[in-house]
Structure formats: structure tokens, C-alpha cells
Amino acid sequence: MSNSAGSTEVRSPVAGDATQRLIVERVIHAAPEVVILELADAAGGNLPPWQPGAHIDLKLPSGKVRQYSLCGDPENRRRYRVAVLREAAGRGGSEEIHAVAAPGLMLPVLGPRNHFPLVEAPDFLFLAGGIGITPLLPMIRHVGRAGHPWRLVYGGRRREAMAFLDEVAACEGGEVQVVAQDESGHPDIGGLIAALGPDTVVYGCGPGPMLAALEAAADRQGCTWRLHIERFSAAGEAVAPSTEAGDVPFEVELRQSGLVLQVPADRTLGSVLEEAGVPVPFSCQEGYCGSCETRVLDGVPDHRDTILTDDEKAAVTAMFVCVGRARTPRLVLDL
């Protein structure tokens, strides 16, 4: 879920945008299992602009596509910076990056896109869990430079495994609380939310249990409107299954290619598009990363993602085709 009410950010372009090839200029080992990649245009040109909360999609040598938050400085148009946590129990993308990352490596990159925009507010609480610090770093720098008060609560299993501790300590104008689990347990999320000031908005990014606790605490306090969340994994029951009892077949027309495809009741739209060779950048395939956002030209989608707000879903202008289906017999997509 990413509640963007009150934001002045313009939603980034959707699936089908041109891919650029960037070179890995520098590789930094920020923590025992975290590697930072600094990416640049091979010819030395400026990169597309971005705002805090944005991410890029990297196409790995294996063909896997993975999404990573930009954690550098938006004012630096010469390079992008992403941080990758090695996840041994993951789907192989982070392991591949840790194995192949080296200066000179060329990677196709799609984006930037922003489904986690920073809203205007007088006061901010940032809650990071592990590698969830990455999208929050540019936000903290931005609000600090703007003179707004902020507080960061940064939790992790062990202090030595937590990346960017020096950087967050150097950010202007705010307060940083580091909560290492082996030293002091978990952050008191309930207490943090109960003590919110009247004008404070909350940004959270981290593991699923942390975000579930944050949502529950905000719900108890009746302040879910203040909450802005980005997920690095599916949200359990919050993400609808790809297919459900009662699903019906539908037809999808791809306007750009002229293809007309049939989506059976027991198959996902994403799997049908992949089988047909349609070039959609899939990453999570569970409706939380935003890589496969696609314009809807006609028909009414059945949204099953955790990204779009209720207003965005009602606008019927875009959908995430990995988990989305159709409420009408036919959808027309800008593919």
C-alpha cells in the first residue's frame, strides 16, 4: 500500500518505456550482505531526473528483472545509486547481483518510476527495517534541507549488518534512533504511533511483519491516512491471489501490437502475456513492486495490487498486469 494523498508528485510513465543501458561505475560493500552499485551513462551524459521514493528496474544478465529504490541524491544527474541485500532464500536476483557486480558491467535499466512519493507535511516520522532504509534516505535528506523536523527509527538484526548508519547520522535537522535487535529488541511501533504529533506523517519501509504492525498501530489510533508504506515483499492477505474462486475468462487486446489474447479463469493475465512474448517488465509478480504498470485504454480492470490508491483505481487509467484481471469481458491495454 502506498497512500499518496496530498502529494504533488506526478506518477511516472508506465510499462513500455524505453530501456537505457547503464554502466556500473563503482561497487561498494556497505555491510556484510549489502552491496551498493553506482550506475552512470557510459557516455557521461545526464540521467533522467527522479524524486525521493523513486525506483529503477535492473535487467540482470540472466534475464531476471528486479526493482531497487534509488538511495542517492536526486540533484546528482550523473549517477544513480542502489543498494542490494543478499537474500539467500529469495528468488535469485540479489544473489546474482552480488556474484556479477563489478565496475564496467553494463545493465539495462528501466525507469525511474515513483509509487512512493514524498508528500508535503510539516513533520515526519520515518520507520525503516533493514534494507528498507534505502527509499527513506533521499526523503530524509530532502526534508532536512527544507527545514522540516523529522525523526528516523531504524531497526535491524545487528548493528554491524545495518547499512548507511554513518549517512543517516549525518543528515540535517532531525533525530535518529538505531534499534538493533540483538541489543534492544524491536522498535516500539505502537508507542511511536500513539505519540505522534497532530501534523506528523509516517513513512515506513521494511519487512512484512514490521509493516503489518505499523498498519495495525495506525488503525488503532485512527490515523491510517498519515501512513505511507513501501513493500519489498508481498503483504500476505493484503495481496489478493492471482486467481480466485469465481474468476471468469476475459479477452485482452494489445493496442500497439494488435494481439488479442484469451485469459482463462485459472490463469493470470501476466502469465498469458509472458507466454505470448509481450515485453512487459515483470519483477515481483505479486502486485507490490510496480514494474508492470500498464495503461488501460478501455474496459474496467479488477485491481489486485497493493500500490494504487482507491482514487487511482477508480480512475481506470492504469493497472498492474501481474495480478490484475478484468471486471468487463474485454480489456484494451497500451501494449
Side-chain angles (χ1 to χ4, degrees), residues 137-171:
L137 267 175
M139 296 183 179
I140 292 167
R141 294 193 194 98
H142 179 84
V143 300
R145 290 170 182 166
H148 297 300
W150 59 269
R151 181 183 182 189
L152 168 67
V153 179
Y154 180 11
R157 292 181 180 176
R158 306 183 318 280
R159 189 176 293 264
E160 61 270 21
M162 298 168 70
F164 302 112
L165 287 177
D166 291 344
E167 290 194 27
V168 297
C171 289

mmCIF file of all heavy atoms in Angstrom, residues 137-171:
data_model
loop_
_atom_site.group_PDB
_atom_site.id
_atom_site.type_symbol
_atom_site.label_atom_id
_atom_site.label_comp_id
_atom_site.label_asym_id
_atom_site.label_seq_id
_atom_site.Cartn_x
_atom_site.Cartn_y
_atom_site.Cartn_z
ATOM 1 N N LEU A 137 16.228 7.282 2.681
ATOM 2 C CA LEU A 137 17.395 8.155 2.748
ATOM 3 C C LEU A 137 17.206 9.462 1.970
ATOM 4 O O LEU A 137 17.437 10.549 2.523
ATOM 5 C CB LEU A 137 18.628 7.409 2.223
ATOM 6 C CG LEU A 137 19.493 6.671 3.240
ATOM 7 C CD1 LEU A 137 20.591 5.904 2.523
ATOM 8 C CD2 LEU A 137 20.107 7.642 4.240
ATOM 9 N N PRO A 138 16.812 9.403 0.682
ATOM 10 C CA PRO A 138 16.631 10.671 -0.038
ATOM 11 C C PRO A 138 15.516 11.532 0.555
ATOM 12 O O PRO A 138 15.582 12.763 0.490
ATOM 13 C CB PRO A 138 16.283 10.217 -1.464
ATOM 14 C CG PRO A 138 16.771 8.815 -1.570
ATOM 15 C CD PRO A 138 16.608 8.248 -0.202
ATOM 16 N N MET A 139 14.498 10.889 1.126
ATOM 17 C CA MET A 139 13.422 11.647 1.755
ATOM 18 C C MET A 139 13.940 12.423 2.967
ATOM 19 O O MET A 139 13.622 13.609 3.156
ATOM 20 C CB MET A 139 12.305 10.702 2.195
ATOM 21 C CG MET A 139 11.607 9.987 1.066
ATOM 22 S SD MET A 139 10.236 8.974 1.705
ATOM 23 C CE MET A 139 9.592 8.303 0.173
ATOM 24 N N ILE A 140 14.731 11.747 3.781
ATOM 25 C CA ILE A 140 15.261 12.386 4.987
ATOM 26 C C ILE A 140 16.143 13.570 4.612
ATOM 27 O O ILE A 140 16.056 14.652 5.214
ATOM 28 C CB ILE A 140 16.035 11.346 5.828
ATOM 29 C CG1 ILE A 140 15.060 10.317 6.403
ATOM 30 C CG2 ILE A 140 16.824 12.029 6.935
ATOM 31 C CD1 ILE A 140 15.744 9.094 6.985
ATOM 32 N N ARG A 141 16.984 13.385 3.619
ATOM 33 C CA ARG A 141 17.845 14.496 3.185
ATOM 34 C C ARG A 141 16.992 15.670 2.690
ATOM 35 O O ARG A 141 17.288 16.831 2.981
ATOM 36 C CB ARG A 141 18.787 14.024 2.080
ATOM 37 C CG ARG A 141 19.809 12.997 2.513
ATOM 38 C CD ARG A 141 20.882 12.840 1.453
ATOM 39 N NE ARG A 141 21.673 11.649 1.675
ATOM 40 C CZ ARG A 141 21.478 10.496 1.064
ATOM 41 N NH1 ARG A 141 20.506 10.375 0.168
ATOM 42 N NH2 ARG A 141 22.247 9.454 1.334
ATOM 43 N N HIS A 142 15.932 15.344 1.937
ATOM 44 C CA HIS A 142 15.085 16.397 1.370
ATOM 45 C C HIS A 142 14.386 17.194 2.462
ATOM 46 O O HIS A 142 14.410 18.434 2.449
ATOM 47 C CB HIS A 142 14.050 15.778 0.427
ATOM 48 C CG HIS A 142 13.113 16.763 -0.182
ATOM 49 N ND1 HIS A 142 13.417 17.491 -1.313
ATOM 50 C CD2 HIS A 142 11.876 17.182 0.211
ATOM 51 C CE1 HIS A 142 12.417 18.294 -1.603
ATOM 52 N NE2 HIS A 142 11.457 18.123 -0.697
ATOM 53 N N VAL A 143 13.748 16.503 3.400
ATOM 54 C CA VAL A 143 13.012 17.244 4.435
ATOM 55 C C VAL A 143 13.971 17.970 5.367
ATOM 56 O O VAL A 143 13.655 19.055 5.877
ATOM 57 C CB VAL A 143 12.043 16.320 5.223
ATOM 58 C CG1 VAL A 143 11.025 15.695 4.284
ATOM 59 C CG2 VAL A 143 12.790 15.256 6.011
ATOM 60 N N GLY A 144 15.164 17.408 5.574
ATOM 61 C CA GLY A 144 16.150 18.097 6.397
ATOM 62 C C GLY A 144 16.625 19.386 5.751
ATOM 63 O O GLY A 144 16.725 20.431 6.411
ATOM 64 N N ARG A 145 16.890 19.332 4.444
ATOM 65 C CA ARG A 145 17.314 20.544 3.737
ATOM 66 C C ARG A 145 16.211 21.589 3.711
ATOM 67 O O ARG A 145 16.474 22.795 3.698
ATOM 68 C CB ARG A 145 17.723 20.183 2.308
ATOM 69 C CG ARG A 145 19.016 19.384 2.204
ATOM 70 C CD ARG A 145 19.210 18.864 0.796
ATOM 71 N NE ARG A 145 20.425 18.062 0.681
ATOM 72 C CZ ARG A 145 20.701 17.276 -0.352
ATOM 73 N NH1 ARG A 145 19.841 17.187 -1.371
ATOM 74 N NH2 ARG A 145 21.834 16.591 -0.381
ATOM 75 N N ALA A 146 14.962 21.124 3.682
ATOM 76 C CA ALA A 146 13.823 22.048 3.651
ATOM 77 C C ALA A 146 13.511 22.641 5.023
ATOM 78 O O ALA A 146 12.648 23.513 5.136
ATOM 79 C CB ALA A 146 12.590 21.332 3.107
ATOM 80 N N GLY A 147 14.192 22.148 6.062
ATOM 81 C CA GLY A 147 13.994 22.688 7.393
ATOM 82 C C GLY A 147 12.844 22.093 8.170
ATOM 83 O O GLY A 147 12.450 22.635 9.206
ATOM 84 N N HIS A 148 12.281 20.960 7.702
ATOM 85 C CA HIS A 148 11.185 20.321 8.427
ATOM 86 C C HIS A 148 11.743 19.392 9.508
ATOM 87 O O HIS A 148 12.737 18.697 9.290
ATOM 88 C CB HIS A 148 10.321 19.492 7.478
ATOM 89 C CG HIS A 148 9.645 20.293 6.414
ATOM 90 N ND1 HIS A 148 8.764 21.313 6.702
ATOM 91 C CD2 HIS A 148 9.708 20.233 5.057
ATOM 92 C CE1 HIS A 148 8.317 21.847 5.586
ATOM 93 N NE2 HIS A 148 8.879 21.218 4.572
ATOM 94 N N PRO A 149 11.110 19.334 10.667
ATOM 95 C CA PRO A 149 11.544 18.374 11.681
ATOM 96 C C PRO A 149 11.244 16.944 11.243
ATOM 97 O O PRO A 149 10.241 16.677 10.574
ATOM 98 C CB PRO A 149 10.728 18.764 12.914
ATOM 99 C CG PRO A 149 9.561 19.511 12.391
ATOM 100 C CD PRO A 149 10.005 20.177 11.124
ATOM 101 N N TRP A 150 12.127 16.019 11.607
ATOM 102 C CA TRP A 150 11.930 14.626 11.261
ATOM 103 C C TRP A 150 12.586 13.741 12.306
ATOM 104 O O TRP A 150 13.497 14.163 13.022
ATOM 105 C CB TRP A 150 12.490 14.303 9.872
ATOM 106 C CG TRP A 150 13.976 14.588 9.718
ATOM 107 C CD1 TRP A 150 14.542 15.752 9.292
ATOM 108 C CD2 TRP A 150 15.058 13.698 9.998
ATOM 109 N NE1 TRP A 150 15.914 15.663 9.284
ATOM 110 C CE2 TRP A 150 16.257 14.403 9.703
ATOM 111 C CE3 TRP A 150 15.144 12.398 10.466
ATOM 112 C CZ2 TRP A 150 17.519 13.840 9.874
ATOM 113 C CZ3 TRP A 150 16.402 11.818 10.633
ATOM 114 C CH2 TRP A 150 17.576 12.536 10.339
ATOM 115 N N ARG A 151 12.094 12.515 12.342
ATOM 116 C CA ARG A 151 12.688 11.505 13.209
ATOM 117 C C ARG A 151 12.774 10.203 12.437
ATOM 118 O O ARG A 151 11.826 9.832 11.739
ATOM 119 C CB ARG A 151 11.833 11.295 14.472
ATOM 120 C CG ARG A 151 12.402 10.260 15.445
ATOM 121 C CD ARG A 151 11.474 10.062 16.631
ATOM 122 N NE ARG A 151 12.034 9.114 17.590
ATOM 123 C CZ ARG A 151 11.378 8.620 18.630
ATOM 124 N NH1 ARG A 151 10.115 9.014 18.853
ATOM 125 N NH2 ARG A 151 11.953 7.754 19.438
ATOM 126 N N LEU A 152 13.903 9.518 12.543
ATOM 127 C CA LEU A 152 14.089 8.197 11.933
ATOM 128 C C LEU A 152 14.277 7.163 13.026
ATOM 129 O O LEU A 152 15.137 7.323 13.904
ATOM 130 C CB LEU A 152 15.309 8.193 11.016
ATOM 131 C CG LEU A 152 15.780 6.805 10.545
ATOM 132 C CD1 LEU A 152 14.760 6.152 9.608
ATOM 133 C CD2 LEU A 152 17.154 6.886 9.867
ATOM 134 N N VAL A 153 13.487 6.100 12.974
ATOM 135 C CA VAL A 153 13.695 4.920 13.809
ATOM 136 C C VAL A 153 14.115 3.797 12.863
ATOM 137 O O VAL A 153 13.334 3.383 11.995
ATOM 138 C CB VAL A 153 12.430 4.548 14.603
ATOM 139 C CG1 VAL A 153 12.682 3.294 15.439
ATOM 140 C CG2 VAL A 153 12.004 5.708 15.492
ATOM 141 N N TYR A 154 15.351 3.336 13.008
ATOM 142 C CA TYR A 154 15.970 2.398 12.077
ATOM 143 C C TYR A 154 16.276 1.109 12.820
ATOM 144 O O TYR A 154 17.148 1.066 13.688
ATOM 145 C CB TYR A 154 17.239 3.034 11.506
ATOM 146 C CG TYR A 154 18.025 2.214 10.512
ATOM 147 C CD1 TYR A 154 17.532 1.047 9.947
ATOM 148 C CD2 TYR A 154 19.298 2.633 10.121
ATOM 149 C CE1 TYR A 154 18.276 0.312 9.032
ATOM 150 C CE2 TYR A 154 20.050 1.919 9.209
ATOM 151 C CZ TYR A 154 19.543 0.759 8.666
ATOM 152 O OH TYR A 154 20.291 0.038 7.768
ATOM 153 N N GLY A 155 15.517 0.042 12.486
ATOM 154 C CA GLY A 155 15.698 -1.233 13.145
ATOM 155 C C GLY A 155 16.430 -2.240 12.274
ATOM 156 O O GLY A 155 16.340 -2.205 11.044
ATOM 157 N N GLY A 156 17.160 -3.127 12.913
ATOM 158 C CA GLY A 156 17.870 -4.195 12.201
ATOM 159 C C GLY A 156 18.271 -5.290 13.164
ATOM 160 O O GLY A 156 18.197 -5.110 14.388
ATOM 161 N N ARG A 157 18.685 -6.411 12.613
ATOM 162 C CA ARG A 157 19.025 -7.545 13.489
ATOM 163 C C ARG A 157 20.296 -7.285 14.283
ATOM 164 O O ARG A 157 20.384 -7.580 15.467
ATOM 165 C CB ARG A 157 19.172 -8.809 12.642
ATOM 166 C CG ARG A 157 17.861 -9.288 12.047
ATOM 167 C CD ARG A 157 18.050 -10.549 11.241
ATOM 168 N NE ARG A 157 16.781 -10.996 10.665
ATOM 169 C CZ ARG A 157 16.665 -12.035 9.851
ATOM 170 N NH1 ARG A 157 17.740 -12.736 9.491
ATOM 171 N NH2 ARG A 157 15.466 -12.374 9.381
ATOM 172 N N ARG A 158 21.328 -6.756 13.612
ATOM 173 C CA ARG A 158 22.598 -6.455 14.271
ATOM 174 C C ARG A 158 23.115 -5.122 13.731
ATOM 175 O O ARG A 158 23.009 -4.844 12.545
ATOM 176 C CB ARG A 158 23.654 -7.536 13.994
ATOM 177 C CG ARG A 158 23.214 -8.948 14.325
ATOM 178 C CD ARG A 158 24.342 -9.967 14.102
ATOM 179 N NE ARG A 158 25.087 -9.725 12.879
ATOM 180 C CZ ARG A 158 24.687 -10.085 11.651
ATOM 181 N NH1 ARG A 158 23.518 -10.685 11.491
ATOM 182 N NH2 ARG A 158 25.444 -9.840 10.593
ATOM 183 N N ARG A 159 23.696 -4.324 14.584
ATOM 184 C CA ARG A 159 24.177 -3.010 14.185
ATOM 185 C C ARG A 159 25.189 -3.115 13.036
ATOM 186 O O ARG A 159 25.171 -2.321 12.099
ATOM 187 C CB ARG A 159 24.812 -2.304 15.395
ATOM 188 C CG ARG A 159 25.169 -0.845 15.157
ATOM 189 C CD ARG A 159 25.693 -0.245 16.449
ATOM 190 N NE ARG A 159 24.658 -0.170 17.463
ATOM 191 C CZ ARG A 159 23.927 0.915 17.699
ATOM 192 N NH1 ARG A 159 24.097 2.004 16.983
ATOM 193 N NH2 ARG A 159 23.011 0.905 18.653
ATOM 194 N N GLU A 160 26.090 -4.094 13.100
ATOM 195 C CA GLU A 160 27.125 -4.208 12.065
ATOM 196 C C GLU A 160 26.561 -4.610 10.708
ATOM 197 O O GLU A 160 27.227 -4.453 9.683
ATOM 198 C CB GLU A 160 28.210 -5.201 12.491
ATOM 199 C CG GLU A 160 27.729 -6.623 12.734
ATOM 200 C CD GLU A 160 27.295 -6.871 14.173
ATOM 201 O OE1 GLU A 160 26.987 -5.885 14.886
ATOM 202 O OE2 GLU A 160 27.274 -8.049 14.580
ATOM 203 N N ALA A 161 25.327 -5.128 10.679
ATOM 204 C CA ALA A 161 24.706 -5.523 9.410
ATOM 205 C C ALA A 161 23.823 -4.429 8.826
ATOM 206 O O ALA A 161 23.246 -4.612 7.751
ATOM 207 C CB ALA A 161 23.874 -6.794 9.614
ATOM 208 N N MET A 162 23.727 -3.285 9.487
ATOM 209 C CA MET A 162 22.831 -2.205 9.061
ATOM 210 C C MET A 162 23.609 -1.193 8.214
ATOM 211 O O MET A 162 24.551 -0.560 8.695
ATOM 212 C CB MET A 162 22.195 -1.541 10.287
ATOM 213 C CG MET A 162 21.344 -2.506 11.107
ATOM 214 S SD MET A 162 20.855 -1.874 12.739
ATOM 215 C CE MET A 162 19.697 -0.589 12.274
ATOM 216 N N ALA A 163 23.208 -1.068 6.963
ATOM 217 C CA ALA A 163 23.897 -0.173 6.030
ATOM 218 C C ALA A 163 23.486 1.279 6.277
ATOM 219 O O ALA A 163 22.416 1.558 6.807
ATOM 220 C CB ALA A 163 23.575 -0.570 4.596
ATOM 221 N N PHE A 164 24.372 2.203 5.890
ATOM 222 C CA PHE A 164 24.114 3.649 5.859
ATOM 223 C C PHE A 164 24.009 4.296 7.239
ATOM 224 O O PHE A 164 23.479 5.402 7.353
ATOM 225 C CB PHE A 164 22.843 3.965 5.056
ATOM 226 C CG PHE A 164 22.878 3.469 3.637
ATOM 227 C CD1 PHE A 164 22.035 2.434 3.240
ATOM 228 C CD2 PHE A 164 23.737 4.027 2.708
ATOM 229 C CE1 PHE A 164 22.056 1.969 1.929
ATOM 230 C CE2 PHE A 164 23.769 3.566 1.405
ATOM 231 C CZ PHE A 164 22.935 2.544 1.011
ATOM 232 N N LEU A 165 24.527 3.667 8.288
ATOM 233 C CA LEU A 165 24.444 4.279 9.613
ATOM 234 C C LEU A 165 25.164 5.618 9.655
ATOM 235 O O LEU A 165 24.669 6.585 10.262
ATOM 236 C CB LEU A 165 25.009 3.332 10.672
ATOM 237 C CG LEU A 165 24.148 2.113 11.013
ATOM 238 C CD1 LEU A 165 24.860 1.232 12.021
ATOM 239 C CD2 LEU A 165 22.787 2.531 11.552
ATOM 240 N N ASP A 166 26.327 5.708 9.018
ATOM 241 C CA ASP A 166 27.066 6.976 9.007
ATOM 242 C C ASP A 166 26.285 8.054 8.259
ATOM 243 O O ASP A 166 26.274 9.219 8.666
ATOM 244 C CB ASP A 166 28.446 6.792 8.362
ATOM 245 C CG ASP A 166 29.377 5.955 9.222
ATOM 246 O OD1 ASP A 166 29.067 5.778 10.418
ATOM 247 O OD2 ASP A 166 30.402 5.480 8.706
ATOM 248 N N GLU A 167 25.644 7.663 7.147
ATOM 249 C CA GLU A 167 24.906 8.645 6.351
ATOM 250 C C GLU A 167 23.691 9.187 7.086
ATOM 251 O O GLU A 167 23.416 10.383 7.048
ATOM 252 C CB GLU A 167 24.495 8.040 5.013
ATOM 253 C CG GLU A 167 25.661 7.798 4.074
ATOM 254 C CD GLU A 167 25.212 7.512 2.658
ATOM 255 O OE1 GLU A 167 24.117 7.977 2.260
ATOM 256 O OE2 GLU A 167 25.953 6.812 1.953
ATOM 257 N N VAL A 168 22.940 8.310 7.741
ATOM 258 C CA VAL A 168 21.756 8.815 8.436
ATOM 259 C C VAL A 168 22.157 9.685 9.622
ATOM 260 O O VAL A 168 21.475 10.667 9.950
ATOM 261 C CB VAL A 168 20.809 7.674 8.880
ATOM 262 C CG1 VAL A 168 20.280 6.920 7.682
ATOM 263 C CG2 VAL A 168 21.476 6.725 9.857
ATOM 264 N N ALA A 169 23.287 9.362 10.248
ATOM 265 C CA ALA A 169 23.748 10.178 11.374
ATOM 266 C C ALA A 169 24.147 11.576 10.923
ATOM 267 O O ALA A 169 24.078 12.531 11.710
ATOM 268 C CB ALA A 169 24.927 9.494 12.055
ATOM 269 N N ALA A 170 24.542 11.699 9.644
ATOM 270 C CA ALA A 170 24.991 12.994 9.124
ATOM 271 C C ALA A 170 23.856 13.829 8.534
ATOM 272 O O ALA A 170 24.089 14.976 8.131
ATOM 273 C CB ALA A 170 26.072 12.771 8.063
ATOM 274 N N CYS A 171 22.646 13.294 8.463
ATOM 275 C CA CYS A 171 21.526 14.049 7.884
ATOM 276 C C CYS A 171 21.147 15.224 8.785
ATOM 277 O O CYS A 171 21.237 15.140 10.009
ATOM 278 C CB CYS A 171 20.321 13.127 7.675
ATOM 279 S SG CYS A 171 20.544 11.927 6.340
#
